[in-house]
Amino acid sequence: MSSYPRFAVVGHPNKGKSSIVSSLSLDGSIQISNTPGTTQVKRGFPLKIDGEIVYELFDTPGFQRARRVYAWLEAHGRDVSADKRVEVVRQFVFEHKEDKQFRDEVELLEPILEGAGIIYVVDASKPYGAEYEVEMEILRWCGQPSMAILNLIGEEDYREEWTRALGQYFRMVRTYNPMTAGHEEHVQLLESMAQLKEAWTKPIKKAIVALEKLQEQKIESTVITLSDYMLEVLSLVHTQNIYGEEVSEEEEEEAKRKYREKIVAYEMDERHAVEKIWRHSDIQKQENALVLDEVGLFSEESVSIFGLSQKELILTGASAGAITGAGIDLLTAGHSLFLGSIVGGIVGGVGAMFGFDNLYEVKVLGQSLGKRELSVGPMQNLNFPYVLLGRGLYHASVIAKRSHAKRDALSLDSESFTGKIIDAEMRKELEKIHGKLRKAEELEKEEIEAYKKVIRGAFLRLLEAK
Amino acid sequence: MKEHTQKITLNSYLDLAQLLKRYQGTHEENRSFGLKHQEDSVSRLQKWKEKYLYKITDSLDSTSYLHYLTTFTYMVSFLFLLFGLITGFTLLSYSGKEPVNVIYLLLVMVGLPLLSILLTVLSMYTGNVGAKFFNHFSPLYYLEKIINFFYFSKKVDLSHFSLSSKLTKWIFLDRLQLFSFLFALGLLISLLLTVISKDIAFGWSSTLEIDSLVLQQTLAYLATPWQTFLPTAVPTVELVELSHYYRLGEKLESSMIQNADKLGAWWKFLAMAMLVYAIILRLLLWAWVHFAYKRLLKKEFLRIAGVEKLLWEFETPFVSTQAQTAETHLDVASSKSSAQSDLALAYNAILGWNYSEEDLHLIVDRFGVNAKVVKNVGGKNSFGEDQAVIAEVEKAILVYVKAWEPPTMDFVDFLEELLGKEEVIKVDICPLGTSTNGYESQARDLQVWFNKLEKVDSAKLGVIDV
């Protein structure tokens, strides 16, 4: 028998057992189907800390022939005292191990007979039915600590009548909706599970601490990913060779296009990284084409949703003068080996405040041996960093709050974006860094830390927002 | 071995930076590594790098960069030594008509190195603003120009080598001290060789009206470091006065010719001045620069992109919640069957599966379908009771079921038994919704019933959607 707590999530078919396990194990890969009986064998989901199992959840098939099982138990254990009933159940499992008729019941009873606590799942959005009592009786015969979970699959609410009935069979009855449950609800449920048996309290508490840390880790990793992405994109300089003495219009347009493509690729990479952090790698996305898709990054719609207003831009202290300071050695602050002198002039100009026609500086760089390069970037548009950050934060918050039990496509539209998550103080901090990046200045570690702090603050605000 | 692994070199810096671009490991792997290697951060990173360096299958950046750097260092070292020798011999070329001007020698042999030292110190400790201002005065600036003449100048792309401009500056500042040292050594060697092989008369001359005593005092200050242990290398007032000459005089002053043996005494002062100010001071600065460079290298080593995450993963417990076994899932094909929409007005029997007697009568009243026998089955009924109902019913039978409760094998067993009875000619299954919804079933629930009932292959079976 295992030394760590185990919990078997059992119940009638199609009542959300797999959804609950998926949500509790933070595993979005579990198949969840509307068709009953698709879970055919039990499957363990251990929570491990550095390889050591702290507790294990079992997803099990639903009861299929509960009345027959109960009839067998009654026939063989009618005169057995309550303390010996579990042996009758054990005998049933032993005798029917190879019996296809009772395959589901054997699968679901096995972990319980090995000491797993019982988590009985019902759909409390549908009326209570007496047919459940047979299942509950069988579980009672197992004699293991047990609790019931009221899952609200539909819109109606029959929790009161369910609670009255379940209260007669289970020590605890809790509501848990795996589709909407977040980290807090997850922890609350674990705390309830810890109360089922004294010996389980300590390991479950340990698991709660680990999960709290895991949540913090995910937040921190997201902040680092977002911050690295922002710094990388905002300091991005695309260079390519040119063939004549002066840059042609086609060459300039091609360079600008490639520069934009690189930024879009960075955004995709950032999103994948965030989805991986929150273990939502298999997610299907269905984004609002105007707002969050690749084209939208440079659209005016994006600016209107994620960017700052003209007033806010002025209040950040960013002025056009601050972004025209590109001079000799702009790229590497005076120590640019091999890229020392600029022979061409500035072709592009200061980006427009709201439009995206001139986002970046375009320069012709010369080298001593005659090779010429066209350089695009870093991004000069004052509003672009906020658009980039807003989109990143919004996507990350949607991913972070998404339950692992959900199987529908991810919808990323602007409607639920809370908008004003970056206050004046935050903007001031951000602008300090953005200004430096526009001038291609190298950032000190402390400055990067301050930048992360602002991003962390904004991300936490979004996570807390309902 | 431990000492070796803890030492940070440019080689290890470049290797780690290149490796982290290619491979960062998983949190699980890195945590496991961190638990095995409970050492300081640098040692851990060095060992991690050694463990995974094989992941870089193409050539190492460090090999090519250090090859170019070493080649550059050797070639420029040789050039600077040669340049020092040539400069020295040129300055000391004595025609016999005019003495070698000590002031001129001091400016080149002591003044120039001191100015170079000053600029180096400014380069070391001025920020970007200072760096820009001093850029064109800095020897580093000219070092860049020199590199452009080397065959590998195009191959050394610093952005490719993940070196920050700060670190690059210090790499070259370090080498610059070697070059300056070799230049000064060349000058000193040339002085010594000239003194050995020639009889040089030193003198001094200036357009400015410099008093001999003032000059002697100034030179005595310069000679402070060695005047106690080598007083003969400090010019006396007599020597300074004797050495003063005027360019407009056609011939050397008679006093100078009379004291020619004494004029040669200048060389000791010049040699000591060079040794102290151009060589020893340079070596001290070199040690200082080298120490600061190593310190920066360590700082930058810990700032390589990906290092922070790696160190965090070494320290942070890895929490896993996923299943270790693959999922066995039953794929259920969706049924193409469709339901009839009308109930017959009369059946021989109406059965309510899992309904209570009370609920069943309400349903019968609601739909107004008549039958001689109305019985509830399943639910809390025993098998014996269900068997008795099957024995009692015949011909056309209507079975009301709860649409939201998926059909279990218990129901299928009952149905098969009912359909197997010869006297039964038709069984209509009518899935109903909840009473609060007027018994209207949902399409999704109906589909579940179709899928299941399709497996019960019987011509007597029909499904009705009211």
Side-chain angles (χ1 to χ4, degrees):
Chain A
M1 199 164 284
S2 45
S3 56
Y4 50 85
R6 308 169 111 203
F7 299 93
V9 181
V10 297
H12 215 64
N14 235 27
K15 297 299 163 199
K17 297 185 291 297
S18 294
S19 295
I20 284 172
V21 171
S22 192
S23 163
L24 293 179
S25 64
L26 312 173
D27 189 342
S29 69
I30 301 174
Q31 290 188 46
I32 294 169
S33 165
N34 284 333
T35 309
T38 45
T39 306
Q40 295 213 301
V41 290
K42 65 176 181 291
R43 198 163 167 236
F45 293 79
L47 182 135
K48 291 191 211 167
I49 302 173
D50 289 338
E52 183 200 342
I53 299 177
V54 180
Y55 74 79
E56 189 169 15
L57 279 176
F58 285 95
D59 186 18
T60 64
F63 281 101
Q64 289 291 343
R65 292 185 169 96
R67 284 196 311 158
R68 282 182 195 271
V69 176
Y70 189 61
W72 191 97
L73 295 179
E74 283 229 298
H76 292 78
R78 189 168 292 133
D79 304 322
V80 172
S81 60
D83 64 318
K84 297 281 191 298
R85 279 179 177 169
V86 65
E87 293 309 319
V88 183
V89 182
R90 208 179 296 282
Q91 194 187 341
F92 169 82
V93 169
F94 179 75
E95 285 186 20
H96 297 88
K97 218 169 173 86
E98 303 303 323
D99 187 347
K100 281 186 182 172
Q101 193 182 200
F102 296 112
R103 188 191 55 201
D104 291 354
E105 279 74 14
V106 168
E107 281 289 323
L108 77 90
L109 288 171
E110 264 179 347
I112 298 172
L113 295 173
E114 285 166 15
I118 298 163
I119 298 178
Y120 185 66
V121 181
V122 298
D123 177 9
S125 68
K126 294 290 182 296
Y128 172 74
E131 67 271 21
Y132 286 84
E133 288 167 22
V134 182
E135 294 172 3
M136 294 192 277
E137 279 296 346
I138 297 169
L139 295 174
R140 187 146 72 176
W141 276 55
C142 296
Q144 278 300 106
S146 59
M147 69 182 288
I149 288 181
L150 304 173
N151 181 15
L152 288 166
I153 296 174
E155 282 166 13
E156 292 175 70
D157 190 346
Y158 294 91
R159 276 185 287 181
E160 227 172 273
E161 59 185 74
W162 275 102
T163 306
R164 278 198 301 272
L166 293 168
Q168 295 173 46
Y169 294 90
F170 300 98
R171 195 178 296 178
M172 255 185 286
V173 182
R174 296 282 183 271
T175 301
Y176 183 81
N177 187 342
M179 297 298 165
T180 57
H183 177 70
E184 262 178 53
E185 290 88 347
H186 184 175
V187 169
Q188 281 167 8
L189 186 65
L190 283 177
E191 279 169 352
S192 301
M193 286 155 68
Q195 291 168 29
L196 286 177
K197 193 173 170 181
E198 206 180 337
W200 293 349
T201 310
K202 209 174 158 187
I204 299 290
K205 294 271 181 207
K206 188 180 170 186
I208 291 171
V209 171
L211 287 170
E212 297 277 13
K213 274 194 184 157
L214 184 65
Q215 179 76 357
E216 284 167 22
Q217 287 165 19
K218 286 177 179 175
I219 291 172
E220 196 53 33
S221 299
T222 307
V223 170
I224 291 171
T225 304
L226 274 170
S227 151
D228 288 351
Y229 153 72
M230 288 294 295
L231 299 180
E232 222 157 343
V233 170
L234 295 179
S235 56
L236 179 69
V237 177
H238 166 75
T239 54
Q240 64 183 59
N241 293 342
I242 56 168
Y243 301 101
E245 274 296 305
E246 284 181 13
V247 62
S248 70
E249 208 172 295
E250 291 78 33
E251 282 172 331
E252 190 186 323
E253 281 312 308
E254 189 199 352
K256 282 180 177 179
R257 181 177 51 78
K258 285 187 176 166
Y259 176 72
R260 282 196 300 267
E261 281 171 0
K262 277 186 184 174
I263 292 180
V264 169
Y266 271 119
E267 189 180 54
M268 292 311 291
D269 288 348
E270 179 271 331
R271 288 188 189 180
H272 289 149
V274 168
E275 284 160 13
K276 200 175 163 194
I277 289 167
W278 294 91
R279 300 181 184 176
H280 281 299
S281 298
D282 303 327
I283 218 155
Q284 299 173 306
K285 265 176 288 182
Q286 189 180 45
E287 298 181 5
N288 182 324
L290 280 176
V291 180
L292 277 166
D293 73 355
E294 294 83 347
V295 180
L297 176 59
F298 294 99
S299 69
E300 288 187 15
E301 286 84 352
S302 264
V303 186
S304 65
I305 292 163
F306 297 105
L308 302 182
S309 67
Q310 190 167 14
K311 191 181 164 193
E312 284 170 334
L313 273 173
I314 292 164
L315 287 174
T316 57
S319 64
I323 60 168
T324 55
I328 295 173
D329 303 320
L330 171 80
L331 296 175
T332 49
H335 289 286
S336 57
L337 292 174
F338 323 121
L339 282 174
S341 56
I342 298 168
V343 295
I346 292 172
V347 178
V350 175
M353 245 186 196
F354 301 106
F356 279 79
D357 296 333
N358 291 305
L359 291 165
Y360 20 65
E361 279 190 331
V362 181
K363 288 181 290 175
V364 182
L365 303 169
Q367 289 189 311
S368 57
L369 296 178
K371 184 182 160 194
R372 281 170 185 277
E373 281 182 339
L374 177 63
S375 140
V376 183
M379 180 60 73
Q380 297 298 305
N381 187 284
L382 298 178
N383 225 342
F384 188 76
Y386 299 95
V387 175
L388 204 65
L389 182 60
R391 287 165 62 95
L393 280 169
Y394 175 63
H395 169 262
S397 68
V398 170
I399 293 293
K401 289 198 272 191
R402 183 179 167 88
S403 166
H404 288 85
K406 281 198 167 184
R407 292 295 179 274
D408 55 334
L410 175 66
S411 175
L412 291 175
D413 54 34
S414 65
E415 282 173 24
S416 57
F417 187 65
T418 49
K420 306 296 171 196
I421 47 157
I422 299 170
D423 60 27
E425 197 57 39
M426 285 173 160
R427 279 201 304 271
K428 209 171 151 190
E429 282 293 318
L430 290 173
E431 195 47 42
K432 275 187 213 164
I433 307 296
H434 295 162
K436 278 197 146 191
L437 292 169
R438 278 195 289 268
K439 287 188 266 180
E441 286 177 10
E442 219 171 286
L443 298 175
E444 293 298 325
K445 196 175 178 184
E446 296 71 31
E447 290 172 315
I448 297 173
E449 282 309 313
Y451 195 63
K452 279 183 193 164
K453 196 178 163 192
V454 178
I455 293 180
R456 188 182 295 110
F459 185 50
L460 290 175
R461 279 190 193 187
L462 271 176
L463 288 186
E464 283 160 16
K466 291 289 170 194
Chain B
M1 184 65 192
K2 196 173 180 182
E3 281 290 309
H4 174 71
T5 52
Q6 283 179 349
K7 198 175 162 193
I8 301 173
T9 59
L10 193 53
N11 198 330
S12 54
Y13 175 95
L14 288 166
D15 285 348
L16 183 64
Q18 193 183 1
L19 176 60
L20 283 170
K21 270 187 190 170
R22 178 72 54 88
Y23 178 77
Q24 298 202 346
T26 62
H27 186 185
E28 191 173 9
E29 285 168 353
N30 294 337
R31 173 62 177 164
S32 163
F33 181 91
L35 287 170
K36 274 186 211 151
H37 300 86
Q38 304 274 358
E39 296 155 55
D40 63 283
S41 304
V42 171
S43 299
R44 277 174 157 184
L45 289 168
Q46 296 273 37
K47 286 182 179 169
W48 185 88
K49 180 205 76 192
E50 279 164 25
K51 186 177 176 187
Y52 294 109
L53 202 58
Y54 73 92
K55 299 259 182 196
I56 303 174
T57 47
D58 46 2
S59 64
L60 288 172
D61 283 352
S62 58
T63 312
S64 50
Y65 184 75
L66 291 176
H67 167 71
Y68 295 133
L69 193 65
T70 310
T71 310
F72 168 77
T73 306
Y74 280 133
M75 292 172 90
V76 177
S77 295
F78 174 73
L79 285 175
F80 268 66
L81 183 64
L82 192 67
F83 187 54
L85 284 168
I86 293 169
T87 311
F89 284 127
T90 310
L91 289 172
L92 292 165
S93 58
Y94 174 54
S95 65
K97 287 180 183 171
E98 199 175 294
V100 174
N101 193 340
V102 173
I103 293 181
Y104 196 55
L105 277 180
L106 279 174
L107 281 175
V108 175
M109 293 181 167
V110 179
L112 193 65
L114 282 177
L115 180 69
S116 154
I117 286 171
L118 181 71
L119 287 172
T120 301
V121 173
L122 283 171
S123 295
M124 283 160 71
Y125 293 106
T126 50
N128 286 335
V129 178
K132 271 184 188 173
F133 180 77
F134 290 109
N135 191 28
H136 291 79
F137 300 98
S138 167
L140 270 183
Y141 177 80
Y142 296 99
L143 211 55
E144 288 183 20
K145 301 288 170 202
I146 293 170
I147 291 172
N148 281 339
F149 290 104
F150 281 84
Y151 69 95
F152 51 75
S153 65
K154 296 243 174 66
K155 292 181 185 170
V156 186
D157 174 6
L158 289 180
S159 59
H160 168 69
F161 286 119
S162 324
L163 288 165
S164 67
S165 61
K166 206 183 224 177
L167 189 57
T168 309
K169 180 179 93 173
W170 283 86
I171 290 169
F172 283 89
L173 270 179
D174 191 36
R175 267 142 191 88
L176 192 64
Q177 305 321 304
L178 169 69
F179 305 148
S180 303
F181 165 75
L182 289 169
F183 175 73
L185 192 66
L187 285 175
L188 184 64
I189 292 169
S190 66
L191 175 69
L192 295 176
L193 287 176
T194 312
V195 165
I196 291 166
S197 60
K198 273 178 162 182
D199 175 22
I200 308 174
F202 293 97
W204 67 277
S205 183
S206 173
T207 313
L208 303 173
E209 284 181 19
I210 300 172
D211 185 64
S212 299
L213 193 64
V214 173
L215 182 66
Q216 192 277 335
Q217 279 173 348
T218 312
L219 298 176
Y221 275 126
L222 269 178
T224 311
W226 63 86
Q227 67 180 356
T228 49
F229 63 92
L230 202 63
T232 53
V234 184
T236 59
V237 179
E238 188 195 6
L239 179 66
V240 174
E241 276 179 355
L242 273 174
S243 318
H244 198 177
Y245 74 97
Y246 299 93
R247 198 172 58 83
L248 287 176
E250 277 186 11
K251 290 178 183 175
L252 292 176
E253 277 188 32
S254 55
S255 61
M256 282 184 82
I257 298 164
Q258 283 162 10
N259 296 291
D261 57 329
K262 289 177 185 168
L263 296 181
W266 277 103
W267 78 268
K268 288 182 195 168
F269 168 73
L270 288 170
M272 282 309 292
M274 280 176 60
L275 189 68
V276 171
Y277 293 108
I279 294 184
I280 296 176
L281 207 59
R282 177 66 66 181
L283 286 173
L284 287 174
L285 181 68
W286 191 6
W288 179 15
V289 168
H290 193 71
F291 172 74
Y293 158 63
K294 285 285 175 190
R295 213 169 56 171
L296 180 76
L297 186 64
K298 186 179 176 185
K299 204 172 148 190
E300 293 284 311
F301 187 76
L302 294 170
R303 287 182 64 172
I304 294 173
V307 159
E308 196 183 352
K309 178 176 166 275
L310 200 58
L311 290 174
W312 176 80
E313 288 182 349
F314 287 160
E315 285 300 318
T316 312
F318 175 71
V319 180
S320 90
T321 52
Q322 268 99 335
Q324 285 163 316
T325 54
E327 190 164 19
T328 319
H329 214 76
L330 182 71
D331 281 324
V332 180
S334 196
S335 169
K336 301 272 189 304
S337 309
S338 57
Q340 297 170 313
S341 55
D342 294 321
L343 283 167
L345 286 176
Y347 285 89
N348 294 85
I350 294 176
L351 307 179
W353 177 258
N354 283 347
Y355 280 107
S356 65
E357 220 173 295
E358 188 185 334
D359 288 341
L360 182 59
H361 284 295
L362 282 173
I363 291 166
V364 170
D365 281 352
R366 162 71 179 76
F367 291 103
V369 181
N370 297 316
K372 277 188 269 176
V373 180
V374 177
K375 297 271 183 188
N376 57 312
V377 284
K380 288 185 82 175
N381 276 13
S382 67
F383 281 108
E385 286 165 330
D386 280 359
Q387 294 286 338
V389 173
I390 291 171
E392 190 183 342
V393 297
E394 57 178 10
K395 293 180 184 169
I397 299 158
L398 175 66
V399 186
Y400 287 118
V401 295
K402 294 173 180 173
W404 69 89
E405 294 291 4
T408 59
M409 291 311 292
D410 196 8
F411 175 75
V412 175
D413 291 344
F414 170 80
L415 189 62
E416 281 177 342
E417 207 164 329
L418 192 64
L419 291 164
K421 192 178 170 188
E422 272 185 27
E423 291 81 1
V424 172
I425 54 167
K426 180 173 127 178
V427 177
D428 282 342
I429 307 291
C430 182
L432 299 175
T434 57
S435 57
T436 47
N437 279 337
Y439 299 106
E440 195 179 321
S441 57
Q442 291 182 352
R444 190 184 58 191
D445 295 334
L446 267 180
Q447 190 61 45
V448 171
W449 279 89
F450 277 128
N451 293 344
K452 194 77 175 181
L453 295 179
E454 203 169 56
K455 289 182 185 147
V456 183
D457 192 19
S458 172
K460 297 178 187 175
L461 190 62
V463 179
I464 294 174
D465 177 17
V466 291

